[in-house]
């Protein structure tokens, strides 16, 4: 069984699909691991680290892919001016993030090939699959790094400081959406000494927010924002009106906003209007982690920093890639656990299509 790890070709993608620490376990499962030369360098994993862990290094891309059973990637296969990944994909299983709704053309091209594709972002959010959940592993680090990035942009300190030259007031941080990224953002902002408040439509998050030492901002409406599956749903017009009023008042006092609100399968809810931004303090920062899905702020532009009347609104492209050593390691562990899930007597021979995790993630099944 040959498992291969190409170097990512997407612009700004510095993560790598497998990291050296997973390789001894993959070998025990029966895999020969081949890594493209310098595939891990942007995540600080050298060819030497991979070789020491038992992988082989391929200097030619065509050699890497030859007879591969499994290809592990972060970003979906693509064609660029330099390389066309599609031409190497034959008779193999591809494990990657695909977001097929968003990248329809590439998905349609891939469907024509004799491959199986497993979209890891579709991993069911059930307890058994937690160790394979790439959305959680990457969101957690994204929440952390968003606060660090905001702190480094901000021209004030985060913690309260009492000095002989005077007192520095703590920064006020608001986190909107207390899911995986939001909860880690709250914890990080607290660790940095700021005063944190948070808000979510799911009432279950109140206790989680408070257990991290943050204040839960309540809309005070009866409506539940939760589906039976525990996810957020789109709220009624009346709720949105009440929420907007509350946000407008709250934002006037806030220095940093980390906004993460998403509704599965839908455009991100628009929560912060231009008028609200104009009422914020000069120098405030909005980190819009929902920017890829349309943004929670009306002024957000994906992959840009918009300066509107001295409030900066950041629409980050790929925060997880900016912390690539850890995000790659966790992604790699998620992949390893997913492969282990199909093993029999400690060996991998095939994906177990009777298992719901395999069935749910498999978006192309052209190899029977
Ligand atoms: P997400 O990224 O889909 O959304 C982020 C947050 O935004 C959610 O908490 C959501 O409630 C909130 N939100 C949506 N609309 C909002 C609005 N209008 N205003 C304010 N907040 C709004 O969420 P996620 O981090 O992927 O997690 C979603 C759920 O999945 C949670 O219940 C989480 O506990 C659960 N989960 C389960 C597992 C597992 O069991 N394997 C793993 C991870 C997450």
């Amino acid at each position: 069984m040959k498992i291969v790890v190409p170097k990512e070709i997407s612009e700004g993608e510095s993560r790598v699909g497998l990291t050296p620490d997973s390789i001894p376990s993959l070998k025990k499962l029966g895999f020969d691991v081949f890594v493209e030369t310098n595939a891990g360098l942007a995540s600080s994993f050298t060819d030497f680290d991979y070789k020491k862990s038992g992988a082989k290094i391929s200097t030619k891309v065509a050699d890497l892919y030859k007879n591969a059973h499994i290809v592990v990637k972060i970003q979906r296969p693509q064609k660029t001016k330099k390389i066309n990944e599609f031409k190497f994909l034959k008779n193999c299983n591809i494990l990657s993030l695909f977001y097929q709704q968003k990248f329809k053309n590439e998905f349609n091209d891939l469907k024509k090939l004799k491959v199986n594709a497993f979209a890891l972002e579709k991993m069911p959010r059930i307890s058994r699959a937690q160790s394979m959940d790439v959305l959680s592993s990457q969101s957690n680090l994204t929440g952390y790094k968003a606060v660090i990035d905001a702190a480094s942009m901000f021209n004030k300190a985060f913690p309260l400081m009492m000095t002989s030259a005077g007192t520095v007031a703590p920064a006020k941080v608001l986190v909107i959406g207390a899911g995986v990224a939001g909860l880690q953002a709250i914890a990080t902002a607290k660790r940095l000494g700021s005063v944190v408040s948070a808000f979510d439509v799911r009432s279950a998050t109140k206790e989680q927010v408070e257990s991290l030492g943050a204040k839960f901002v309540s809309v005070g409406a009866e409506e539940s924002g939760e589906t039976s599956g525990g996810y957020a749903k789109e709220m009624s017009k009346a709720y949105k009106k009440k929420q907007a009023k509350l946000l407008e008042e709250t934002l006037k006092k806030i220095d940093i906003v980390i906004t993460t609100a998403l509704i599965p399968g839908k455009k991100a809810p628009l929560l912060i209007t231009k008028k609200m931004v104009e009422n914020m303090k000069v120098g405030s920062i909005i980190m819009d982690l929902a920017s890829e899905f349309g943004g929670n702020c009306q002024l957000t532009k994906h992959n840009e920093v918009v300066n509107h009347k001295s409030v900066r609104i950041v629409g980050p492209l790929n925060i997880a890639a900016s912390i690539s050593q850890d995000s790659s390691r966790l992604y790699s562990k998620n992949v390893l656990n997913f492969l282990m899930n199909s093993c029999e007597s400690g060996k991998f021979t095939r994906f177990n299509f009777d298992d719901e995790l395999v069935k749910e993630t498999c978006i192309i099944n052209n190899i029977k």
Side-chain angles (χ1 to χ4, degrees), residues 10-176:
S10 286
E11 206 192 320
E13 186 50 82
S14 47
R15 290 171 291 176
V16 60
L18 288 175
T19 53
D21 53 334
S22 298
I23 289 167
S25 305
L26 286 165
K27 294 194 78 169
K28 276 192 201 142
L29 303 185
F31 288 108
D32 283 326
V33 188
F34 288 75
V35 180
E36 184 179 345
T37 186
N38 292 332
L41 207 53
S43 303
S44 311
F45 302 110
T46 64
D47 285 355
F48 180 71
D49 295 330
Y50 281 103
K51 274 198 247 176
K52 217 168 57 178
S53 307
K56 296 188 181 84
I57 303 297
S58 296
T59 49
K60 286 195 184 131
V61 188
D63 292 346
L64 176 83
Y65 281 99
K66 202 173 167 191
N67 300 325
H69 293 101
I70 297 181
V71 178
V72 183
K73 290 191 88 295
I74 300 274
Q75 298 287 349
R76 70 213 177 273
Q78 284 166 66
K79 284 178 202 168
T80 66
K81 277 182 190 147
K82 279 192 186 155
I83 183 166
N84 174 1
E85 291 183 319
F86 290 85
K87 74 174 191 199
F88 300 113
L89 298 167
K90 274 184 212 107
N91 282 317
C92 58
N93 298 280
I94 311 157
L95 273 56
S96 186
L97 299 169
F98 283 96
Y99 294 104
Q100 70 196 78
Q101 294 301 337
K102 196 166 171 212
F103 302 108
K104 284 190 177 124
N105 292 344
E106 281 145 350
F107 176 65
N108 288 334
D109 284 348
L110 203 64
K111 267 201 303 199
K112 293 174 198 148
L113 303 181
K114 202 174 171 226
V115 296
N116 288 343
F118 296 89
L120 297 179
E121 77 274 10
K122 293 182 91 106
M123 192 64 69
R125 298 315 264 296
I126 55 172
S127 310
R128 184 166 71 84
Q130 270 179 6
S131 64
M132 310 165 209
D133 185 352
V134 295
L135 288 187
S136 288
S137 71
Q138 306 302 292
S139 294
N140 178 49
L141 288 165
T142 298
Y144 157 80
K145 191 66 185 340
V147 174
I148 302 296
D149 289 350
S152 74
M153 287 173 77
F154 191 43
N155 61 5
K156 273 174 88 304
F158 260 46
L160 168 76
M161 290 183 212
M162 311 265 244
T163 80
S164 48
T167 300
V168 173
K172 292 199 176 81
V173 177
L174 173 69
V175 176
I176 304 177

Side-chain angles (χ1 to χ4, degrees), residues 124-130 133 135-136 139 176-182 199-202 205 208 225-226 229-233 235 239 243 260-264 269 271:
R125 298 315 264 296
I126 55 172
S127 310
R128 184 166 71 84
Q130 270 179 6
D133 185 352
L135 288 187
S136 288
S139 294
I176 304 177
V180 180
F199 167 75
D200 199 300
V201 288
R202 291 183 297 119
T205 57
Q208 293 161 350
E226 210 157 337
Y231 284 97
K233 67 174 177 72
M235 306 305 284
Y239 182 97
Q243 179 185 23
T260 75
L262 289 174
I263 301 163
L271 304 173

